[in-house]
Amino acid sequence: MSSMICGAMTALITPFRNGELDEATYADLIRRQIAHGMDAVVPVGTTGESATLSHDEHKRCIEIAVEVCRDSGVKVIAGAGSNATHEAIDIARHAQECGAHAILSVAPYYNKPSQEGLYQHYKAIAEAIEIPVMLYNVPGRTSVDIQPATVFRLFDEVENIYAIKEATGSMERAVDLLAARPELCLVSGDDAIDYPLLANGAKGVISVTANLLPDLKSKLVHTALAGDLAASKAINDSLYPINKAMFVESNPIPVKAAMYLAGLLPTLEYRLPLVPPSAENMKKIEAAIQNYTIPGVK
């Protein structure tokens, strides 16, 4: 579709202070993404701890992202998923009303719908709004896999479903999807394999590591999309140690710790049941970030 949003995109963290949403820090973090070449930001996805936010907090995060990105050229793809279709529709409508450019909708978690249930779920969400919809397939978290046949059916039959964030970790899945639907906007959801997916025809990434290193992540994507695969691979290879460190515990535990250690967050806070990394893993994260120049750190 003509409004396809792709490229270098960041799965934003959600900062807290004294247990509350830290709106000022959140806005500053988004401005930093804009300043370092990202094409879009993705508030309140997995990395944004959406599972522990209230609906009001979730909606406020989307509003702040839209406000900060206004007139910057950077797009907002709002996290708008739920395991209850009516709740996903409510968030999606709010995202549209406040000016988000698209939504990212995770597969319904916990209740394990069938493929027909997935089709009906996404069809209902997409038909409730006019802005573009990106599917988000992450079976390791949701316990349900949006199978290729269902992706094709949604892409073919629902006008504003244009993309999928593919986070199975499977290269074969990416080949399968793009071999059958090369016009599908497939987006990498696994930092470690961004380059191979881009080389295979992915049109962008939604990155955890970009919270820390937006300059390198944007360059990785833009060089690949411009056809300079050797330069993109070199950046991807150089990022492997930090990408690995960002997943020593469940995301977003390590990336928030890394940003705190780098001076990008004034406090290190999570919402239970998430807690800070173990002392051993904190040392691994601290060691990993020493090898990179973190942009925007005074």
Side-chain angles (χ1 to χ4, degrees):
M1 44 195 301
S2 60
S3 56
M4 185 162 65
I5 300 164
C6 52
M9 300 174 276
T10 304
L12 296 169
I13 66 144
T14 300
F16 302 115
R17 190 189 290 247
N18 299 320
E20 303 294 327
L21 174 63
D22 184 348
E23 295 192 7
T25 297
Y26 194 52
D28 285 343
L29 293 176
I30 296 169
R31 291 187 192 100
R32 179 172 170 270
Q33 294 294 318
I34 295 168
H36 292 286
M38 300 305 289
D39 299 306
V41 294
V42 185
V44 281
T46 303
T47 309
E49 293 177 75
S50 57
T52 57
L53 297 179
S54 71
H55 281 198
D56 286 345
E57 288 172 326
H58 191 124
K59 291 176 178 179
R60 182 62 187 139
C61 286
I62 296 170
E63 291 168 2
I64 293 168
V66 170
E67 290 163 8
V68 175
C69 290
R70 187 171 286 121
D71 302 323
S72 71
V74 173
K75 307 298 186 184
V76 176
I77 303 179
S82 175
N83 60 346
T85 305
H86 66 93
E87 289 184 358
I89 288 172
D90 177 60
I91 297 169
R93 284 176 170 159
H94 179 80
Q96 176 172 284
E97 287 164 7
C98 73
H101 302 91
I103 67 162
L104 173 71
S105 192
V106 70
Y109 39 88
Y110 185 77
N111 44 18
K112 293 189 176 181
S114 66
Q115 294 300 304
E116 180 63 24
L118 289 171
Y119 173 82
Q120 296 295 343
H121 171 80
Y122 280 119
K123 184 173 184 284
I125 296 168
E127 290 181 347
I129 57 175
E130 296 175 2
I131 58 176
V133 175
M134 181 184 293
L135 312 176
Y136 178 12
N137 193 32
V138 56
R141 285 190 180 259
T142 65
S143 295
V144 64
D145 185 3
I146 313 173
Q147 292 290 327
T150 304
V151 176
F152 302 150
R153 189 179 171 200
L154 287 163
F155 182 69
D156 293 345
E157 297 178 12
V158 185
E159 184 178 3
N160 54 333
I161 293 178
Y162 80 105
I164 184 167
K165 178 184 176 184
E166 178 49 46
T168 59
S170 168
M171 284 298 301
E172 183 179 354
R173 175 62 64 87
V175 171
D176 184 351
L177 291 169
L178 289 173
R181 295 295 186 282
E183 65 277 23
L184 173 70
C185 176
L186 186 141
V187 171
S188 171
D190 288 291
D191 279 277
I193 57 172
D194 282 349
Y195 165 74
L197 287 184
L198 288 163
N200 183 60
K203 295 180 175 69
V205 311
I206 295 179
S207 168
V208 173
T209 303
N211 281 285
L212 199 63
L213 296 167
D215 54 338
L216 291 180
K217 275 292 181 176
S218 61
K219 190 174 181 183
L220 183 157
V221 176
H222 295 152
T223 52
L225 294 179
D228 190 348
L229 296 182
S232 181
K233 183 180 186 302
I235 297 168
N236 198 78
D237 290 348
S238 74
L239 288 169
Y240 183 73
I242 191 72
N243 289 335
K244 188 173 181 181
M246 290 304 92
F247 294 91
V248 292
E249 292 189 23
S250 295
N251 176 47
I253 292 171
V255 68
K256 289 187 89 171
M259 293 175 76
Y260 174 72
L261 292 169
L264 293 167
L265 290 177
T267 61
L268 181 57
E269 293 187 32
Y270 305 85
R271 283 271 173 86
L272 285 171
L274 296 187
V275 295
S278 68
E280 179 185 359
N281 283 331
M282 188 67 99
K283 289 178 183 176
K284 291 178 182 177
I285 295 163
E286 189 166 17
I289 65 174
Q290 300 305 316
N291 299 314
Y292 301 89
T293 301
I294 312 296
V297 175
K298 297 175 183 177

